[in-house]
Amino acid sequence: MTKKLAAVLALVGFGFALAGCNTVEGVGKDVSATGNAIEKAADKNKPK
C-alpha cells in the first residue's frame, strides 16, 4: 500500500515538473496554486 502511494506521489510530482515549467520558480507557482485550490476546497467544506 505504501509503495503504491509513494509511486503515485512520485508520478504526480514528475507530472508537475513536466507540465509546469522548466524553472524552479514555475514549479513553485504550480505547487502554490494547487495548495491554494486545496485550501479553498477545505474552507468551503468546513463545518460551520
Side-chain angles (χ1 to χ4, degrees):
M1 177 75 169
T2 24
K3 287 184 180 182
K4 287 182 182 179
L5 179 60
V8 168
L9 290 176
L11 286 174
V12 169
F14 187 67
F16 273 124
L18 287 178
C21 188
N22 289 335
T23 64
V24 174
E25 182 181 0
V27 173
K29 287 180 181 178
D30 289 342
V31 172
S32 178
T34 303
N36 288 337
I38 292 170
E39 187 176 351
K40 280 184 180 180
D43 286 342
K44 183 178 178 183
N45 293 309
K46 187 186 300 184
K48 295 181 180 187

